[in-house]
Amino acid sequence: MSLGYALAVAGAAAGAGGGDPALLDAAGGRLSFEQVRGVWDLALGEGADPGVGLRMGADLRPAALEVLGHLVLGSVSLGEAAEAAERYHRLVSEAGEIALVRGAALSRLVYRPVVAPQSMHPQQVEAVVAGMVSAARWLAGPGWAPAGVSFTHTCGGDEPLYVRVLGCPVAFGAPENALIVPTAELDRRRAVPDPGLTALQRRYADGLLADLIGAVTVADQVRRWLAAAPLDQVTPADVRAALCLGERALRRALREDGTSWRALLDEARHARARHLLESTDLTTDRIARAVGLSGAAALGHAFTRWQGTSPGAYRRSWRAGGV
């Protein structure tokens, strides 16, 4: 995570009685997810304000997003700002990804954590989503609000607070964490004070992104994305949107990495099915559907191909300590 955003988290934690920003100020450079999670753990200790994440996102300032904050401020439209967030959010945090899903009338700006669900507090997600609303208000004005907001988790605090902060209806237990925005609002253009400066900042951000990604291949990026994706409904278009790649570019990059979308999806299904067999009591039919297969028979054929044994035999062996 970038130091700017980590300091914003630490400031919110200190305001909630949970931490000292100086602890992060001394760290320098980027911080690990585990370090920042520790600050959230303190902020959400006994007696803490359950709305701390929502309030942190609502108070977000451009400096907390570093170069991404400048790119948002220099965008000609909310849509361009959303595309910048989609491409460069990783410079701020590698714990999740942002995807812009355009529709004819309504579009969605989706936030997908890529860490294990149990390792991220709901308030961390709320801080990101509320921060996206704040960033939109930098461009559209303080009274701007999305058409709706959704969270995958249940409401853990004062539900009217969400409506007051976000300015719109809020749904919990939804399929995705997202802002819903009229597409016409995304495309409404505004004057940019210095387009040349924005272009310079974009080149700088591209360099930072290249340094951050380093030798990580496109195939590895797809694997990472699939590890957190809902495999029962995922499509190549979803990962193309997340990686900002066209259809041909993705196919070519995967071919150069010696693999394909089909092979990576099969690999992800194998890993997810094995995890569910090890860690849950779900029936094989439910596991099959969770990984995008038609039913227990399809899972049996696929799992035997993957593992050399049936799902039931694998589960029994795992629980007996033989796998």
Side-chain angles (χ1 to χ4, degrees):
M1 177 175 285
S2 70
L3 183 57
Y5 194 78
L7 287 170
V9 173
D20 180 357
L23 295 176
L24 293 182
D25 193 34
R30 294 180 68 84
L31 289 95
S32 70
F33 175 77
E34 289 72 21
Q35 287 174 294
V36 178
R37 164 64 190 244
V39 177
W40 279 107
D41 288 344
L42 290 172
L44 294 166
E46 186 176 354
D49 174 12
V52 62
L54 194 65
R55 298 181 195 278
M56 181 230 153
D59 293 338
L60 193 70
R61 297 293 179 265
L65 301 184
E66 300 183 351
V67 67
L68 175 55
H70 294 291
L71 287 172
V72 168
L73 289 173
S75 297
V76 300
S77 66
L78 287 177
E80 184 175 282
E83 289 164 1
E86 183 177 49
R87 178 169 177 80
Y88 299 111
H89 176 73
R90 190 170 182 181
L91 295 177
V92 178
S93 172
E94 294 180 87
E97 298 170 334
I98 290 174
L100 176 61
V101 183
R102 282 183 169 269
L106 294 174
S107 296
R108 307 188 322 277
L109 192 60
V110 181
Y111 176 67
R112 302 185 182 107
V114 297
V115 296
Q118 65 272 17
S119 70
M120 181 176 277
H121 291 295
Q123 287 84 356
Q124 292 176 263
V125 175
E126 292 171 2
V128 174
V129 173
M132 293 194 294
V133 173
S134 293
R137 288 171 177 164
W138 302 339
L139 296 183
W144 182 88
V149 166
S150 64
F151 293 106
T152 60
H153 55 264
T154 58
C155 181
D158 177 17
E159 191 162 347
L161 175 65
Y162 291 84
V163 177
R164 290 197 301 272
V165 170
L166 301 172
C168 64
V170 181
F172 295 93
E176 60 189 10
N177 306 299
L179 306 187
I180 302 167
V181 183
T183 302
E185 288 189 23
L186 284 181
D187 296 331
R188 188 172 295 123
R189 297 179 69 82
R190 59 186 284 271
V192 177
D194 191 344
L197 178 60
T198 300
L200 182 65
Q201 290 166 337
R202 189 174 290 272
R203 288 196 294 273
Y204 176 60
D206 283 333
L208 292 176
L209 192 62
D211 290 342
L212 182 62
I213 294 174
V216 176
T217 65
V218 171
D220 285 338
Q221 293 177 61
V222 174
R223 286 188 180 95
R224 183 171 177 267
W225 186 87
L226 282 170
L231 299 181
D232 58 336
Q233 53 186 282
V234 70
T235 69
D238 297 324
V239 76
R240 290 200 304 270
L243 271 58
C244 301
L245 289 173
E247 181 177 356
R248 292 182 179 178
L250 177 63
R251 189 183 303 117
R252 181 174 62 252
L254 294 181
R255 186 170 61 247
E256 290 171 355
D257 290 339
T259 188
S260 66
W261 164 257
R262 187 183 298 274
L264 292 176
L265 180 58
D266 191 61
E267 182 179 305
R269 284 172 169 163
H270 177 197
R272 185 78 55 85
R274 192 171 58 193
H275 170 72
L276 292 173
L277 287 166
E278 294 169 0
S279 61
T280 76
D281 292 316
L282 292 174
T283 65
T284 53
D285 187 69
R286 288 188 63 188
I287 291 174
R289 297 183 191 285
V291 303
L293 298 175
S294 60
L299 177 65
H301 290 306
F303 202 86
T304 300
R305 171 170 56 83
W306 294 327
Q307 203 72 32
T309 188
S310 71
Y314 179 85
R315 175 178 268 167
R316 289 191 296 273
S317 180
W318 171 267
R319 294 183 176 179
V323 175

